Amino acid sequence: MTKTPEWKKAYIDYRGLKKCITAIRKEHEGLAESSGSEEEEYPVLQGTALEVNPQSIKGLSQQALPMGAPVEQTLIKSCAHESLRKEPQSPPVPLEAPLVHRNHDTTPTDEGRTLESQHAISFDHRVLGSSSSIPGTIPTAGNNSTTGSRFLNPKSLTSLRGRGRRTSLYTRHGVDRPATNPMERLPLNELLLQLEPIEKAFFIALDKQLDKIDCFYSVREAEFMARTKVLHEQLDELGDHKELVKSVHPHHPSVRTTCLVNISKLRIPFMSPAVDPNRTQGHDPDYLEKEKIQREGSVDADVERTDWKKKHSPVRHTGLSADPEDYLFAKKKLKKAVLEHYRGLEVLQNYRILNLTGFRKALKKFEKSTKIQAQRQYMSEKVERAFFASGKNLQEMMVNTETLYAARFARGDRKRARTFLRTGFRYTSHHFSVFRSGILLGVAIPAFVSGLCASFQQSTRDDIPAWDALLFLYGVFLIPILLLFLVGINLLVWARARINYVFIFELDTRTRMDYREYFEIPTILLAALCWAFWLSFRRVGSPHILPQYWLLVWLGFCAFVVLEPLTLFCKSSRYWFIRKTAKLLISGTRRVEFADFWMGDQYCSLVFTISNLYFFVCLYTRKFDEGWSKCGVSGSPQWPAMYVLASLPFYCRFAQSAKRYYDSGLITHLINGGKYFVGIISYLLFYLWRQKGSHSHGSIFVLWIFFNTIYSIYASTWDLLMDWSVLRPRGQYPLLREELIYSDSIPLYYFAMITNVLIRFIWVIYIPHNGPSMYLRTFICALLEVLRRWQWNFYRLENEHLGNMDQYRVTREVPLPYSFDHTHAEDADNGDDGDDQALQLVAVRERDERISRARKASSGRRAKKGEIRRT
């Protein structure tokens, strides 16, 4: 169980609490000096995650410390629910046995059981001296009488604890067995009275963490409760939709019996949205008694559910369609929505458990460093009364979701539904994947070097017609394979930096490919390409097999790897890639997600390969004759075909930006679309200039320079400001944002910013007359563009992940198929809502008064029994 990266800010700051404990230990060891100022009195709170910025807090209040010390100024975040109820000051607790012996194997239990029930306790009057002849007394400072105070004296306890290294009083007097700390039996408010200032700072920090976690959990749980209600309505509507389709098409496969349970008869835990989520068992110590009274005095749950449903049932906004395809589409959407909802509930459950564990570990570490038993008191009086400690509503929602899923999608089989919903990604070893990838790289590099050396031999050039065109084609197909391999490095770095790329790309957590498995695909394609290159230029099989045929064999092998229906190369991930690529061709007609426009940007960096597909077909059509140069741009009447292929990724991205602007109305998407529109114009002018010859410097050349300059500045500015969110004037590092995930590689940020702008202007190498051929120049530009895109991917995903962290997004927003009109039901009951709410409020107050009286009577009886037991 690990932390959810998007909720990193909301977890307990265990590292900051450890710094507090370290400062306390150094103070006790005499390695740190404390001064009288407040900043130096709590040095551990400065510069850590526990330091609170007043500007970032909405609500400011004074919170009295529970130990009765002078009021401290503390900042508490505003929250959707009630703050923790302050406990009344308890009177001093008499000590029955201030100093006792116990065996070495005696340990305090989490259940709070007293030591008397576990081990025999004996007094040691040799340690207390003659002044302690009366049991239950501790001599105060300056008082040598034998009638010392029966109650705990803070000064005496402070002197007993001592400073510096914690040496037991028994050890100093020659007694081997340790003494029980008198503080471990005090309530928390009395215990905090005895602490030193730096130890109080630890509990102040702990309270702030508790408030933060409690606020966050309550808000998230309220959101999930509302989502559960909506999904319940949607699934009810799905049942009605199925009955409608079944009545019109009784023999259609989509309406065959797929549910053996009537969802209306399921005993689903009822959670009325009218219940205030802020009134929780975490903040109400009388919760159990209230719940008992509610169970005994309430009507049957089925009747309550039915009455509430009749009163608040929404009115259908749109009519249902009898088309089976519409029903299947709605069923698919709801299945995905329920799966995402359950995944969110699991994330919230993990969040709750990890924070509870964090509090226990922090308090245990505090006890180990200070020898002060405070875990039991703090956990029982603070943490266990917090909202997130119970998790009862969360468990009910999980059971509710499993029941709904079983009823609609698993033929009523709860076990099958639970298995499907709880099947997450299995973390397995990938040693063989890494081994195979290494072997493939090992056999690819020698073949590439040998083939490259052979291509420079004069005998090879004489034997292979149009050898330079064949070499150029291998370069054309090397570029996408290189990008695939570099994306594998992106995945590796994202996984190590805990960037949740699985959620960002909306991959299926049950079938997604690990980055070590991913490397097998580009390495096997690269190895096959290198060996095809070696076979071509080593003229293996010649003259029976022409050198040009090996490239076709490689393309066939690539098609098999991508399209094969078996599960040899992670079928689900390959088909995800195919779906996203096909969706680009219909851009503007479907909703655009992050993976869609990210894939479009990758293809924008592959313009070199896409545009030369026409050149590839033309060469094989002409059979690599001496006139193969006519297949190029210069002097070719077919240059419009190459231009259309080159601008196709830009058309797709422009359509995606227009669609996003249409859906959201945000002008930033339209501005982003303008970038791709300028790119389309610049490519048109480039091909016009190339068609007339690269030596031409007429008006077309001037316009190409002008539009390419605008596009380079436009794209560079968008990369830095929007895609990477850098060039910020105020930050820890100049020109960088405040939050950085790759904080160990700060210089690489500046290197990426500079090189990104320079490569955007790489088109200037086309201008000189002299120098390498235009084919070599285009290959160099394509290679640098792939490296720029690889670099861009790192910081684009980082920026997206930080955006998810700011919004605490951990589940995908799945559009629901049915729409309802909730205002009709609300208007119908508008006249009775006030009376109903007033009656409910009176009933709640009367019930609270009865519970309070019963609790006071029970406390009085327990107090009398305790007095009798002590006497």
Side-chain angles (χ1 to χ4, degrees):
M1 188 180 298
T2 58
K3 289 184 178 180
T4 303
E6 288 79 6
W7 289 357
K8 181 180 179 181
K9 300 177 183 178
Y11 281 91
I12 182 174
D13 186 8
Y14 184 68
R15 183 176 298 179
L17 295 174
K18 285 177 65 177
K19 291 181 180 179
C20 288
I21 297 171
T22 301
I24 295 172
R25 188 183 69 250
K26 290 181 178 180
E27 174 75 13
H28 292 160
E29 293 176 353
L31 300 179
E33 297 180 356
S34 61
S35 61
S37 63
E38 183 177 352
E39 290 77 17
E40 295 177 353
E41 187 177 11
Y42 305 101
V44 72
L45 299 181
Q46 306 295 330
T48 67
L50 302 178
E51 183 180 0
V52 181
N53 184 8
Q55 302 298 330
S56 63
I57 304 297
K58 296 180 181 179
L60 177 64
S61 62
Q62 289 186 350
Q63 182 184 18
L65 293 180
M67 53 276 204
V71 177
E72 300 282 345
Q73 283 285 348
T74 57
L75 297 173
I76 305 175
K77 288 187 177 181
S78 60
C79 182
H81 65 84
E82 299 173 359
S83 61
L84 288 172
R85 195 174 71 181
K86 297 181 178 63
E87 296 294 332
Q89 295 291 336
S90 301
V93 178
L95 289 178
E96 295 179 349
L99 290 176
V100 295
H101 284 307
R102 69 174 181 178
N103 298 329
H104 288 283
D105 56 351
T106 303
T107 55
T109 59
D110 294 335
E111 292 79 4
R113 292 174 295 180
T114 58
L115 293 174
E116 291 87 347
S117 61
Q118 303 176 46
H119 301 277
I121 300 175
S122 61
F123 291 90
D124 193 337
H125 298 288
R126 293 177 298 169
V127 179
L128 297 176
S130 58
S131 62
S132 300
S133 57
I134 301 176
T137 62
I138 296 180
T140 60
N143 183 11
N144 296 327
S145 65
T146 59
T147 60
S149 174
R150 181 173 175 78
F151 297 101
L152 186 65
N153 191 325
K155 294 183 179 180
S156 62
L157 271 182
T158 304
S159 62
L160 284 178
R161 292 191 331 164
R163 294 185 176 273
R165 294 187 178 274
R166 298 303 177 96
T167 304
S168 174
L169 208 61
Y170 285 93
T171 305
R172 292 200 299 267
H173 286 268
V175 181
D176 294 333
R177 288 181 291 181
T180 302
N181 195 328
M183 293 187 179
E184 68 177 318
R185 304 175 62 191
L186 292 176
L188 183 62
N189 56 350
E190 290 294 332
L191 173 64
L192 295 177
L193 277 170
Q194 320 305 323
L195 302 182
E196 299 173 1
I198 194 171
E199 294 168 342
K200 295 177 183 178
F202 170 77
F203 285 95
I204 293 174
L206 209 61
D207 288 341
K208 291 178 181 178
Q209 294 297 306
L210 182 62
D211 288 338
K212 177 188 72 174
I213 294 167
D214 211 25
C215 289
F216 180 82
Y217 181 86
S218 63
V219 173
R220 298 282 87 77
E221 187 178 89
E223 292 176 355
F224 281 114
M225 290 180 70
R227 185 71 172 178
T228 302
K229 175 180 175 295
V230 171
L231 287 176
H232 199 170
E233 295 173 354
Q234 292 281 326
L235 291 172
D236 286 342
E237 193 73 2
L238 182 66
D240 296 340
H241 196 173
K242 178 184 175 182
E243 294 299 328
L244 175 63
V245 175
K246 188 175 181 179
S247 63
V248 179
H249 305 278
H251 302 292
H252 197 274
S254 63
V255 294
R256 291 177 182 173
T257 303
T258 58
C259 177
L260 303 180
V261 179
N262 188 354
I263 195 171
S264 62
K265 296 181 180 180
L266 292 174
R267 298 188 61 84
I268 300 174
F270 176 69
M271 293 177 294
S272 172
V275 178
D276 185 5
N278 301 331
R279 294 180 56 86
T280 64
Q281 63 271 29
H283 295 160
D284 194 349
D286 304 329
Y287 170 74
L288 296 176
E289 297 185 26
K290 288 183 179 181
E291 187 181 32
K292 182 178 180 181
I293 294 177
Q294 289 175 353
R295 287 198 305 264
E296 294 175 353
S298 63
V299 296
D300 185 77
D302 293 333
V303 178
E304 183 182 359
R305 187 187 306 112
T306 304
D307 294 341
W308 182 90
K309 192 172 181 180
K310 289 180 180 179
K311 184 177 180 180
H312 298 87
S313 59
V315 178
R316 186 182 303 145
H317 184 66
T318 58
L320 298 178
S321 172
D323 188 358
E325 297 298 328
D326 293 340
Y327 167 74
L328 291 177
F329 176 78
K331 183 177 180 180
K332 181 180 178 181
K333 284 290 183 182
L334 280 177
K335 188 175 183 179
K336 185 177 180 180
V338 172
L339 183 62
E340 283 297 313
H341 177 64
Y342 193 85
R343 178 180 175 272
L345 295 176
E346 285 186 321
V347 170
L348 188 61
Q349 177 75 339
N350 293 342
Y351 172 82
R352 188 183 72 85
I353 295 174
L354 284 176
N355 282 296
L356 287 174
T357 305
F359 278 107
R360 292 191 183 97
K361 291 181 66 177
L363 289 166
K364 184 176 181 181
K365 195 172 187 66
F366 176 82
E367 290 183 351
K368 183 178 179 182
S369 299
T370 63
K371 312 304 180 186
I372 301 174
Q373 304 295 327
Q375 178 179 359
R376 179 183 59 81
Q377 296 96 315
Y378 194 89
M379 292 297 296
S380 61
E381 298 182 28
K382 290 272 189 170
V383 178
E384 293 178 3
R385 296 184 180 184
F387 187 85
F388 73 98
S390 171
K392 178 183 177 181
N393 292 336
L394 184 60
Q395 291 291 342
E396 289 183 352
M397 283 188 286
M398 296 181 73
V399 173
N400 190 355
T401 305
E402 292 172 2
T403 305
L404 292 174
Y405 187 90
R408 291 302 181 200
F409 307 109
R411 295 176 174 266
D413 190 347
R414 284 285 300 274
K415 182 178 180 181
R416 177 185 168 191
R418 192 181 301 110
T419 302
F420 182 84
L421 291 172
R422 296 184 181 181
T423 302
F425 179 73
R426 294 184 176 90
Y427 292 91
T428 57
S429 174
H430 299 284
H431 299 94
F432 288 105
S433 296
V434 176
F435 176 75
R436 286 191 292 265
S437 299
I439 290 294
L440 291 170
L441 279 179
V443 301
I445 294 176
F448 173 76
V449 174
S450 177
L452 188 63
C453 293
S455 66
F456 286 98
Q457 296 176 3
Q458 189 62 38
S459 60
T460 302
R461 297 183 176 184
D462 294 338
D463 294 340
I464 301 177
W467 65 270
D468 45 357
L470 182 60
L471 182 63
F472 180 74
L473 284 182
Y474 273 104
V476 167
F477 292 106
L478 174 65
I479 293 300
I481 302 303
L482 180 61
L483 180 59
L484 282 176
F485 183 82
L486 294 177
V487 168
I489 300 178
N490 289 138
L491 297 176
L492 187 152
V493 175
W494 293 335
R496 297 292 176 85
R498 295 186 58 79
I499 293 178
N500 196 355
Y501 66 89
V502 177
F503 171 69
I504 293 174
F505 289 131
E506 298 187 1
L507 303 176
D508 192 342
T509 56
R510 297 167 299 149
T511 59
R512 59 102 169 176
M513 182 186 296
D514 186 83
Y515 67 89
R516 287 159 289 196
E517 296 176 295
Y518 170 86
F519 268 115
E520 292 190 63
I521 294 180
T523 51
I524 193 173
L525 296 179
L526 179 62
L529 180 64
C530 292
W531 278 96
F533 178 69
W534 180 83
L535 292 172
S536 295
F537 284 92
R538 285 296 179 181
R539 304 182 304 281
V540 176
S542 180
H544 302 288
I545 302 177
L546 296 178
Q548 295 85 359
Y549 289 170
W550 292 112
L551 183 58
L552 297 177
V553 173
W554 177 79
L555 288 174
F557 176 74
C558 291
F560 169 77
V561 171
V562 175
L563 301 175
E564 61 92 11
L566 304 178
T567 58
L568 297 178
F569 302 101
C570 197
K571 178 181 176 180
S572 60
S573 298
R574 288 186 288 107
Y575 280 25
W576 176 89
F577 170 78
I578 295 172
R579 287 194 302 269
K580 293 301 179 183
T581 302
K583 194 175 179 180
L584 285 175
L585 301 177
I586 55 173
S587 297
T589 62
R590 296 289 187 272
R591 183 184 179 185
V592 182
E593 304 293 345
F594 178 87
D596 300 322
F597 61 78
W598 182 86
M599 188 70 72
D601 287 332
Q602 306 305 303
Y603 279 107
C604 286
S605 296
L606 297 176
V607 169
F608 170 74
T609 299
I610 297 174
S611 62
N612 281 294
L613 291 178
Y614 174 81
F615 181 76
F616 165 78
V617 174
C618 181
L619 278 177
Y620 276 91
T621 303
R622 299 179 66 96
K623 297 181 180 180
F624 289 84
D625 58 5
E626 295 180 357
W628 66 268
S629 58
K630 295 181 180 180
C631 296
V633 180
S634 300
S636 175
Q638 285 80 23
W639 68 268
M642 301 185 69
Y643 162 70
V644 171
L645 290 174
S647 59
L648 183 60
F650 289 84
Y651 277 114
C652 295
R653 286 294 289 120
F654 177 76
Q656 287 179 344
S657 300
K659 176 63 175 176
R660 297 185 75 190
Y661 171 73
Y662 176 80
D663 292 339
S664 65
L666 296 177
I667 194 65
T668 53
H669 299 310
L670 204 59
I671 298 174
N672 190 26
K675 176 183 67 174
Y676 298 103
F677 183 75
V678 174
I680 292 171
I681 297 176
S682 65
Y683 268 101
L684 175 62
L685 296 172
F686 172 73
Y687 278 95
L688 287 173
W689 173 62
R690 287 281 307 277
Q691 197 272 337
K692 292 185 177 181
S694 58
H695 300 286
S696 174
H697 289 80
S699 58
I700 299 297
F701 174 76
V702 175
L703 287 175
W704 172 63
I705 294 292
F706 175 73
F707 276 94
N708 244 17
T709 303
I710 293 178
Y711 173 72
S712 299
I713 296 175
Y714 202 158
S716 300
T717 305
W718 190 270
D719 289 340
L720 299 178
L721 291 179
M722 304 301 295
D723 290 341
W724 293 358
S725 296
V726 293
L727 299 182
R728 305 298 182 188
R730 299 175 182 177
Q732 184 178 1
Y733 300 97
L735 303 180
L736 300 183
R737 66 177 94 88
E738 294 183 359
E739 296 183 71
L740 301 173
I741 293 182
Y742 311 120
S743 56
D744 296 334
S745 306
I746 299 299
L748 292 181
Y749 283 91
Y750 298 102
F751 176 80
M753 293 163 61
I754 296 173
T755 54
N756 186 79
V757 176
L758 292 178
I759 296 176
R760 285 290 190 182
F761 285 89
I762 196 61
W763 51 267
V764 297
I765 69 174
Y766 295 140
I767 298 177
H769 296 295
N770 302 323
S773 66
M774 192 61 68
Y775 293 101
L776 181 57
R777 297 184 193 184
T778 55
F779 177 77
I780 293 173
C781 288
L783 182 61
L784 291 176
E785 172 62 21
V786 164
L787 295 176
R788 187 199 68 82
R789 181 62 62 184
W790 172 57
Q791 175 183 262
W792 178 90
N793 288 337
F794 287 116
Y795 304 104
R796 182 64 184 91
L797 263 291
E798 178 197 27
N799 190 32
E800 185 70 16
H801 180 72
L802 291 174
N804 291 337
M805 290 179 61
D806 292 336
Q807 300 175 10
Y808 300 106
R809 292 183 64 243
V810 295
T811 56
R812 307 180 184 100
E813 298 177 0
V814 181
L816 299 176
Y818 305 113
S819 59
F820 300 98
D821 187 4
H822 293 267
T823 59
H824 180 78
E826 293 176 0
D827 294 339
D829 298 328
N830 194 21
D832 299 332
D833 284 346
D835 296 339
D836 292 343
Q837 293 178 0
L839 292 175
Q840 291 177 3
L841 183 60
V842 171
V844 169
R845 289 177 177 175
E846 292 178 353
R847 184 173 63 248
D848 290 347
E849 291 177 358
R850 292 197 307 269
I851 293 173
S852 179
R853 289 194 298 268
R855 188 172 179 82
K856 289 180 180 178
S858 177
S859 300
R861 288 192 298 269
R862 286 196 298 267
K864 292 180 180 179
K865 291 180 180 179
E867 291 292 336
I868 295 173
R869 187 183 300 111
R870 284 194 294 270
T871 55

